[in-house]
Amino acid sequence: LNLRRTEGEQAGHVIEVQISLVQVLQVKTSGGHANYQVARKLKLNEEATYTHEGALGERLLDELQAGVIRVLKCTGHAELTERFDALATAVQSPYCALSVFELNGVDWPQGRTLADLLGPLGSLEGRLRDLQLDDVRIGGEMPAVFFERCRRLEFFKITQCGVTGRIPSTVGCLSELRILSIQRN
């Protein structure tokens, strides 16, 4: 807070008052401020750094696993068939910070189902906010446990993916859901 004295011979004098929560001070003094400075120098909070649109290359998967990539959008030949297992491993990393995951018309690996994708994505729990799958011939049913684990999901869109079965009642766990779109399945 900046305060300005309005009366007396020191009128106009400005002082700064800092009010800090104990928890904030603990983060700051235990290395949090230094971590913030490193993230700022590496531009980790800039959209161009944490967003990837394109194929799933080796470097991307490393960055995803390390928590650098937070928005991942793949369209067309995304090398998903070749790198499905590596993707599943990367999103299950405790450091993965993926919040937006979109697949549109990608090369889906034969023999894999929706549960094979949503199982690993479920480990993102409160971090995953937006999941959109469009024109991906996945097949299979929606696993109920995914909705129990990813309760903070805001957008869930599965369009034209060959998904079968019932919508699990656990979709009711999504307390922050804004859009649910399950069309042409």
Side-chain angles (χ1 to χ4, degrees), residues 19-78:
I19 301 172
S20 297
L21 297 172
V22 171
Q23 294 88 344
V24 173
L25 284 175
Q26 288 172 341
V27 168
K28 191 174 181 178
T29 59
S30 66
H33 190 67
N35 291 342
Y36 170 75
Q37 288 177 325
V38 169
R40 204 166 110 202
K41 285 182 181 177
L42 294 175
K43 300 180 180 181
L44 296 179
N45 292 321
E46 293 186 16
E47 188 174 354
T49 302
Y50 67 77
T51 300
H52 176 81
E53 294 186 30
L56 301 171
E58 290 292 325
R59 182 173 179 206
L60 164 78
L61 292 169
D62 289 342
E63 290 175 354
L64 182 62
Q65 189 167 356
V68 174
I69 300 298
R70 297 187 303 235
V71 176
L72 178 57
K73 299 177 181 183
C74 300
T75 302
H77 183 71

Side-chain angles (χ1 to χ4, degrees), residues 3-177:
L3 304 173
R4 182 182 309 268
R5 190 171 184 151
T6 58
E7 297 178 2
E9 63 183 66
Q10 292 188 348
H13 183 73
V14 177
I15 62 168
E16 181 180 304
V17 177
Q18 289 187 356
I19 301 172
S20 297
L21 297 172
V22 171
Q23 294 88 344
V24 173
L25 284 175
Q26 288 172 341
V27 168
K28 191 174 181 178
T29 59
S30 66
H33 190 67
N35 291 342
Y36 170 75
Q37 288 177 325
V38 169
R40 204 166 110 202
K41 285 182 181 177
L42 294 175
K43 300 180 180 181
L44 296 179
N45 292 321
E46 293 186 16
E47 188 174 354
T49 302
Y50 67 77
T51 300
H52 176 81
E53 294 186 30
L56 301 171
E58 290 292 325
R59 182 173 179 206
L60 164 78
L61 292 169
D62 289 342
E63 290 175 354
L64 182 62
Q65 189 167 356
V68 174
I69 300 298
R70 297 187 303 235
V71 176
L72 178 57
K73 299 177 181 183
C74 300
T75 302
H77 183 71
E79 299 182 25
L80 186 60
T81 299
E82 299 88 354
R83 299 193 185 342
F84 188 87
D85 291 331
L87 172 66
T89 299
V91 299
Q92 292 179 79
S93 163
Y95 307 109
C96 183
L98 191 63
S99 64
V100 175
F101 185 58
E102 296 180 13
L103 298 177
N104 187 354
V106 298
D107 50 324
W108 186 257
Q110 190 171 2
R112 299 292 189 152
T113 65
L114 184 60
D116 294 329
L117 177 65
L118 296 186
L121 287 174
S123 66
L124 295 169
E125 297 189 22
R127 295 171 296 232
L128 187 63
R129 309 292 283 184
D130 184 342
L131 176 63
Q132 298 185 42
L133 309 173
D134 187 31
D135 193 24
V136 182
R137 299 294 173 193
I138 299 173
E141 296 185 7
M142 288 182 270
V145 69
F146 173 77
F147 300 109
E148 292 172 352
R149 297 187 77 195
C150 292
R151 294 173 181 258
R152 295 187 64 205
L153 205 61
E154 294 177 31
F155 299 94
F156 183 78
K157 177 184 174 188
I158 296 184
T159 305
Q160 202 170 320
C161 292
V163 176
T164 59
R166 298 183 181 270
I167 299 171
S169 62
T170 53
V171 77
C173 295
L174 304 178
S175 59
E176 298 181 34
L177 187 67

